[in-house]
Amino acid sequence: MTKSSHHLSVRSRVAKAAGGAARFASRALGRGSGGMIGGEVAMRISPKFLSELAAPYSSVIVTGTNGKSTTTRMVRAALESAGPVASNINGDNMTSGVITALMQGKGATRAALEVDEMHVPAVAADVNPAVFVYLNLSRDQLDRVGEIGSVERRLRDGASAHPDAIVVANCDDPLIVSAAADNPNVVWVAAGGGWGGDSAAYPRGGRVVRSGDDWHLIPAFEGETLPELSARPQPQWWLEDVELSPEGPRATLHGPDGISVPLELKLPGRANLGNAAQAVAAAVAMGIDPAAAAAAVSSVAEVAGRYSVHDVNGRSARLMLAKNPAGWQEAMTMIDPRVDQVVIGVNGQVPDGQDLSWLWDVDFSAVKQPGRRVVACGERGADLAVRLEYAGVHCDLVPLPMDALAACEPGRVEMLLNYTAMRDFKVLLDRKEGTR
C-alpha cells in the first residue's frame, strides 16, 4: 500500500480508485485534463475523502482575485527545492480540483493549492492548511460570486477559523487586511495594490484614504468608530530597487531577520513581483531557505500556458490572461512596448462571467501606441471593439483569436485573452503543435 493511501478508510480507497479512473478516461477521450472530474467522482463516493486525503500533507492555500495560478506555481517551485509537491497546476481551483491534485501527489508531503475565493472556508476545513496566502480582492464575475464584501467575508471566515495557520497577506490591499486581521499569525507583505477602485470603503467600518503606497482610515460619517487596525500594517517583507523591463522585472526582496534576496523574474509585470514576494514569504514560513525560494520563484517561465510563446505560421504569439478590471489593467502594463501587434479577445461564458459591463471600468487607452495595430475578437468581440473605440483605440474586429492571429503580419504578437477565450485558443494551438 502506498504512503499516500495507507491512512484512508476503505470507502475513501474505493473513491480514490474511481476518481483516478475517471480522470484517466477524461484524458483518454479528449474531454479535458481530468482535473475536476476525478475529484468530483471521488467526492460523491466518500464525502470525507478530502479530509482523509489531505491529512499527511503540510499545505499552502493560495487565494485572491488575481494572481492565484501564478503565485501557486511559484510556491510550488519554491517548495520543490525540498522535495516533491502536490499542486493543482492547471487552475482547477474548486474542491474537486484540490482533491485531484492531492490524489496525484505521489511521494509528496507538501502541497501548494490554488483555491477559489468562495471555496476557501470549505476547503480549509478539510485541508487544515499550515499557510494561507491572501493576494488581493477586487470585483470579479459579479453574476457568480456577488459583491466584493461577500468575498471578503469568506476569506475572513477562512483565516479566523484556523488560528494556528500563518496568513501571508498583502498589506497594500485594505480588503485583504480586513480579511486577515482576525488571525493571530499574520505575515504582512508589501506586494502592491495597483487597483484601488473596489476598496474605497473598509469592510469593518471607515473610509480608505490613500497617500502613495500608504493608506489609512477615516470615519465615513460623523461619530463612526474606526476598527482597531485602522492603517496599513508595517510589512515584514518588502521590495526595493524595482526595475521593470521587457526582459522581466527585477527587485531586491527584504524580509525579517535581515533577509535580503534578489528576484529576477522571467514573468512580466510589477504585479508578478508582488506575487513572487508573497510566494517567497509563504515558502519561508514552510521552512524553505529564502535564497533557494527566491531562485526557484525566479525560474518560473510560464503558468498553465500563460506567458507562453507559440510560433503559428511565422507569428510569434505570447499569451496573457486577464479576467476582470484589475487584471486587465495590470495585463496591459505587461505588453512589450516593442511589439506593434496586439490581439485582445473576450468571451462571455459562465466561467468568464456573463455580465461584461465591467469593460467600461478598464482604461484601454493604455494599449494605444503609435503604429500599433489592435485586433478585437471573441464571442463578445463586438462589445470589446465598441469599448476600444470609445477609448480612442482603433481596432479591427474578427470572430476568433486564431482568426485574429492570422490577420496579423508575421512577427511578434501580444495576445490578451479572458478565461474561456484562452482555453479554447489553447486547444487549437495544442492541436496545431501536435501535428508537427
Side-chain angles (χ1 to χ4, degrees):
M1 193 179 300
T2 66
K3 182 179 179 181
S4 63
S5 62
H6 79 279
H7 59 282
L8 298 177
S9 65
V10 173
R11 185 168 185 171
S12 288
R13 290 177 201 167
V14 173
K16 183 176 182 181
R23 178 177 178 274
F24 175 81
S26 176
R27 293 167 65 90
L29 295 172
R31 302 297 294 272
S33 68
M36 299 291 284
I37 188 63
E40 288 282 356
V41 169
M43 208 163 33
R44 293 289 181 92
I45 295 173
S46 176
K48 295 182 179 179
F49 184 55
L50 178 54
S51 60
E52 293 184 15
L53 187 66
Y57 289 95
S58 180
S59 299
V60 179
I61 282 179
V62 180
T63 194
T65 305
N66 291 305
K68 292 188 292 294
S69 296
T70 298
T71 307
T72 301
R73 180 66 186 87
M74 290 176 167
V75 170
R76 174 193 166 197
L79 296 181
E80 282 178 333
S81 65
V85 177
S87 189
N88 47 343
I89 58 175
N90 290 316
D92 303 315
N93 60 18
M94 298 184 189
T95 304
S96 54
V98 170
I99 287 174
T100 300
L102 295 178
M103 286 170 58
Q104 297 177 256
K106 295 179 180 178
T109 58
R110 295 181 176 89
L113 303 172
E114 175 185 343
V115 179
D116 178 84
E117 306 92 285
M118 300 302 284
H119 289 73
V120 166
V123 171
D126 285 335
V127 169
N128 192 24
V131 177
F132 290 92
V133 179
Y134 281 5
L135 298 170
N136 51 70
L137 283 179
S138 62
R139 282 169 296 145
D140 185 30
Q141 301 181 26
L142 294 179
D143 49 353
R144 180 176 74 87
V145 302
E147 288 292 342
I148 194 65
S150 65
V151 183
E152 186 273 338
R153 188 75 230 187
R154 291 290 186 100
L155 297 195
R156 192 192 307 188
D157 291 345
S160 62
H162 296 270
D164 294 332
I166 295 171
V167 182
V168 176
N170 181 4
C171 67
D172 292 328
D173 188 325
L175 293 173
I176 286 294
V177 172
S178 177
D182 291 339
N183 188 286
N185 300 307
V186 183
V187 174
W188 299 111
V189 181
W195 178 272
D198 297 311
S199 57
Y202 194 66
R204 298 170 185 258
R207 184 163 63 86
V208 177
V209 176
R210 299 177 184 274
S211 177
D213 294 332
D214 205 1
W215 61 266
H216 65 277
L217 302 180
I218 62 172
F221 54 86
E222 187 175 351
E224 182 183 27
T225 301
L226 295 178
E228 181 179 351
L229 183 53
S230 59
R232 175 181 181 263
Q234 187 68 28
Q236 288 119 300
W237 294 84
W238 68 97
L239 296 162
E240 287 186 348
D241 304 320
V242 174
E243 297 180 18
L244 302 179
S245 75
E247 284 72 32
R250 299 181 176 188
T252 300
L253 176 62
H254 298 282
D257 302 320
I259 292 173
S260 180
V261 292
L263 293 175
E264 300 182 359
L265 303 190
K266 292 182 171 61
L267 303 182
R270 172 62 178 79
N272 279 325
L273 280 174
N275 294 336
Q278 290 194 251
V280 171
V284 170
M286 292 282 283
I288 303 300
D289 175 74
V297 162
S298 296
S299 71
V300 174
E302 66 174 86
V303 181
R306 303 165 196 181
Y307 311 110
S308 59
V309 178
H310 302 263
D311 181 75
V312 181
N313 299 325
R315 285 105 177 140
S316 180
R318 184 172 69 152
L319 308 186
M320 290 182 282
L321 177 72
K323 301 182 289 186
N324 48 60
W328 277 98
Q329 208 67 64
E330 191 62 47
M332 286 185 291
T333 69
M334 299 180 189
I335 296 173
D336 191 330
R338 300 170 298 184
V339 177
D340 58 7
Q341 299 183 107
V342 176
V343 170
I344 306 178
V346 173
N347 286 353
Q349 299 179 29
V350 171
D352 307 303
Q354 294 172 304
D355 178 1
L356 297 187
S357 59
W358 55 261
L359 284 171
W360 294 89
D361 295 330
V362 180
D363 181 12
F364 281 101
S365 64
V367 80
K368 189 175 182 179
Q369 181 173 291
R372 172 176 285 166
R373 183 186 181 196
V374 177
V375 184
C377 61
E379 296 169 351
R380 301 291 289 273
D383 298 291
L384 173 63
V386 170
R387 175 67 191 100
L388 289 171
E389 292 290 346
Y390 269 93
V393 180
H394 176 69
C395 65
D396 298 314
L397 175 62
V398 299
L400 298 172
M402 193 62 79
D403 301 325
L405 185 58
C408 294
E409 296 295 325
R412 295 178 63 192
V413 182
E414 299 278 62
M415 298 191 70
L416 274 63
L417 308 173
N418 72 348
Y419 181 75
T420 66
M422 176 172 282
R423 180 198 67 190
D424 297 345
F425 182 63
K426 276 285 292 167
V427 169
L428 294 177
L429 275 180
D430 291 344
R431 287 176 184 168
K432 280 181 172 292
E433 293 173 348
T435 60
R436 292 177 185 176

